[in-house]
Amino acid sequence: MGDPEDRGAGVGQRLQAARQDAGLSLSEVARRAGVGKGSLSELERGLRPARLETLWALSTALGVPLGRLVGDDPEPARGAAVHARLIDRWRSDALFELYRGTVGRRLQRSPAHGPGVVEVLTVLAGRLEAGPEGSPAVAATGGSLTFDGSLPHTYRALETPCEVLIVIRYGPPPQA
């Protein structure tokens, strides 16, 4: 699972490597992600933890999958409501990442990800509301939601704890 160069590296090291691989300055990545340059520098140096929402903004700005920054850390990436840990990655017609997570009752807003990103959330326990801002859908235990991750979207549990599996597909939209 994951890229071999990512194993054993922390989020800050993976973030810095992705930025350098892209040939971008701290200032440019900070501008693209809507993050302060000082905050980005602190993230790269491991002086502050990165919230899940920030990691998504940075991965989108860098044009890399979220898993490149999250890596195989045993601790989940934490957002306002979603806490998720990367379980596996694979390629077929696109790159796929599988996360196991929990969703709390607080509303979490997620900015648009890159073009062609699709999210599939399968509810293992509880009830979840998630999807594009303004038109989220609800799923209960055993149900799934699929939505276009390249649009701003939200997540929140209607019952806690809400346990989910999240599959993220990166690539061109699937052909019908």
Side-chain angles (χ1 to χ4, degrees), residues 29-149:
V29 173
R31 183 190 67 74
R32 289 182 183 186
V35 175
K37 180 181 172 183
S39 295
L40 178 56
S41 176
E42 289 177 355
L43 288 171
E44 284 191 0
R45 292 181 292 148
L47 299 177
R48 76 165 40 189
R51 292 185 53 93
L52 186 56
E53 299 90 336
T54 303
L55 290 172
W56 261 119
L58 290 166
S59 71
T60 300
L62 291 164
V64 299
L66 177 63
R68 169 90 191 266
L69 303 182
V70 171
D72 56 6
D73 289 345
E75 279 297 308
R78 299 179 182 279
V82 179
H83 299 176
R85 188 171 73 78
L86 181 64
I87 301 297
D88 200 4
R89 299 171 79 178
W90 68 93
R91 282 196 176 277
S92 61
D93 65 324
L95 173 65
F96 291 84
E97 293 180 340
L98 173 65
Y99 293 82
R100 174 141 190 171
T102 59
V103 181
R105 293 188 66 118
R106 187 172 176 194
L107 182 69
Q108 179 171 322
R109 287 186 165 82
S110 184
H113 309 319
V117 173
V118 174
E119 294 191 34
V120 180
L121 286 74
T122 300
V123 181
L124 302 175
R127 287 181 50 224
L128 171 72
E129 180 182 74
E133 278 192 4
S135 61
V138 174
T141 302
S144 292
L145 300 173
T146 301
F147 57 89
D148 183 348

Side-chain angles (χ1 to χ4, degrees), residues 5-6 9-24 44 62 64 68-69:
E5 72 269 13
D6 293 345
V11 170
Q13 292 169 310
R14 288 188 294 272
L15 175 58
Q16 184 178 49
R19 180 180 60 77
Q20 290 172 344
D21 289 350
L24 297 172
E44 284 191 0
L62 291 164
V64 299
R68 169 90 191 266
L69 303 182

